[in-house]
């Protein structure tokens, strides 16, 4: 991969910070600069060495950058892209890390600029640059989006960049991304939040590992996830329907005391889950 | 705690094996004997040192035992208790580890004998004595059941025994146990199995940590869990309804683009989950 002179990360939390640490560890750029809204988070990112330099000024931050990565919450990504493009040099590559893509890509593409959308599917229930680690993306899926307007050189460079950080990249349309991710990522979050929310507090002393695992992602940031859910609500609604059909088949089989049918439904689920246990 | 001369474990898998290892590590008995249906599992349990001696004969296994622990799948527990009582000495304490209690306790109590039901809430998605560890119960909840027929000395001795293995014990009626556990343990398993079963195989390459955590317990044994679900189906049905109400509130708020309401539902769920992260 071509080494960048300057990479700018807008929003340096868990994901942005991990990207910064990864770039530095792998030597993918001369300089990593962070753009912040608050000086407190700037200081925290510097302390974690996730960036070489930080600034509160978008103009200063993106000036001369070869690659700009927008890692803010989803709802801010289009406006951040617009602001960054005002100050970016000609030929600067721009990408983001947002968990929904149609909403974001359809807003940024008309602005012009060498933009492709990305979604590195890494992270955890923890938020903040303190949890960042250079290998967060190692072995994780990363979807890069392609539309009829996508510049093929930009696409190739962004794919190479994520690969250099260790991600397993796939190229999908924003629509295909949103359909897949509604099922494999947004739905598990919806289900985990609903499960944690539904269980009465008086039962919590009996919580064992099963409850903890199944609800772990319900510790994620509510504002961040509200953003994601609302920006992909059509596909999420469909994915909830898919889930409820399975849940109701299982419930019906249990209620009707159909042992074989219950076993069959559980076996199908186990086979799916076993297949990704590598 | 009074040290036992002989403890007999009927069914030595993950839980039975961990109890055996724990008894030996803490020196709670002179001898731990396992009763098996198959000589292959007997050999595996001996190899793991989960028991001192093993036998395929119930008569030989329970003869002279001070404490008998039934750790087979739920549907076999009442018949195993009946068989064990035929050969047990007078004064032998009997308990089980089944995940549902009303179904089990209501069948065993009329047989007489010093029985109280137990449910150590430990385990994992792994089955088999190879995964047993002496500290499996350390810090885990363990519910011991009490009915109008329960002998108070037996209850106290069984509670002491689980405490000696490191469990956090609670005493509940079988009915209260089944209500609580339907929500805090059976429901997460139902939800995890439904989620893993519902997601189409073609989406699996995009599975990240969120999906893996939320569906981890769907790797559990289908026969074991079908048994558990069917023996507590009334309470499980009610717990699914509780879950679906929360899920549908969240779905509705998302579909109607109600940002504040979505955040509120996610915040409530996060507060519950955060509260058990010790």
């Amino acid at each position: 991969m071509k080494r960048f002179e300057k990479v700018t990360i807008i929003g340096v939390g868990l994901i942005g910070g991990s990207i910064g640490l990864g770039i530095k560890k792998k030597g993918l750029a001369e300089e990593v600069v962070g753009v912040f809204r608050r000086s407190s988070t700037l200081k925290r990112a510097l302390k974690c060495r996730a960036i070489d330099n930080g600034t509160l000024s978008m103009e200063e931050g993106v000036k001369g950058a070869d690659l700009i990565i927008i890692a803010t919450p989803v709802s801010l990504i289009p406006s951040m892209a617009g602001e960054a493009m005002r100050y970016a040099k000609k030929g600067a590559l721009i990408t983001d890390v947002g968990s929904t893509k149609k909403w974001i890509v359809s807003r940024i593409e008309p602005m012009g600029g060498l933009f492709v959308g990305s979604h590195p599917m890494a992270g955890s229930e923890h938020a903040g640059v303190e949890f960042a680690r250079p290998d967060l993306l190692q072995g994780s899926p990363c979807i890069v989006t392609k539309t009829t307007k996508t510049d093929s050189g930009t696409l190739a460079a962004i794919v190479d960049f994520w690969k250099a950080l260790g991600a397993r990249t796939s190229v999908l349309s924003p629509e295909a991304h949103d359909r897949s991710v509604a099922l494999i990522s947004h739905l598990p979050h919806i289900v985990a939040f609903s499960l944690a929310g539904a269980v009465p507090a008086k039962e919590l002393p009996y919580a064992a590992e099963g409850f903890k695992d199944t609800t772990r992602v319900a510790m994620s940031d509510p504002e961040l996830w509200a953003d994601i859910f609302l920006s992909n609500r059509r596909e999420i609604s469909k994915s909830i329907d898919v889930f409820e059909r399975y849940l109701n088949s299982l419930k019906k089989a249990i209620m009707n005391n159909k042992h074989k049918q219950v076993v069959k439904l559980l076996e199908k689920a186990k086979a799916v889950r076993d297949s990704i246990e590598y």
Side-chain angles (χ1 to χ4, degrees), chain A residues 108-238:
Chain A
I108 299 181
E109 273 193 340
M111 299 176 187
L114 298 175
F115 172 80
V116 301
S118 301
H119 179 197
M121 298 177 68
S124 75
E125 67 280 11
H126 301 298
V129 71
E130 289 76 10
F131 294 99
R133 25 186 202 91
D135 61 347
L136 187 74
L137 271 60
Q138 187 64 48
S140 297
C142 179
I143 297 172
V144 182
T145 62
K146 187 184 174 181
T147 72
T148 52
K149 290 172 195 156
T150 299
D151 173 70
S152 59
T154 306
L155 180 68
I158 297 295
V159 166
D160 281 354
F161 172 72
W162 295 121
K163 278 187 178 161
L165 289 177
R168 295 185 286 114
T169 57
S170 311
V171 176
L172 293 180
S173 70
E175 293 76 14
H177 166 276
D178 287 0
R179 272 197 299 277
S180 288
V181 166
L183 284 158
I184 200 82
S185 167
H186 301 170
L187 177 60
H189 281 79
I190 295 270
V191 161
F193 276 117
S194 298
L195 184 57
V199 172
K202 71 181 173 66
E203 311 299 355
L204 296 177
Y206 310 121
E209 291 310 310
F211 181 78
K212 288 186 187 176
D213 281 342
T214 313
T215 57
R216 180 156 296 119
V217 297
M219 287 190 281
S220 304
D221 185 72
E223 288 282 351
L224 269 184
W225 281 94
D227 252 26
I228 294 169
F229 295 155
L230 291 174
S231 62
N232 195 26
R233 53 186 187 274
R234 239 188 113 116
E235 294 301 332
I236 285 175
S237 168
K238 284 190 249 169

Side-chain angles (χ1 to χ4, degrees), chain A residues 75-102:
Chain A
S75 62
L76 301 176
I77 292 175
S79 60
M80 289 291 150
E83 219 189 310
M85 283 184 195
R86 281 175 57 194
Y87 305 114
K89 73 174 181 188
K90 197 169 159 18
L93 307 181
I94 306 176
T95 192
D96 75 309
V97 303
S99 297
T100 54
K101 294 268 67 87
K102 191 184 161 193

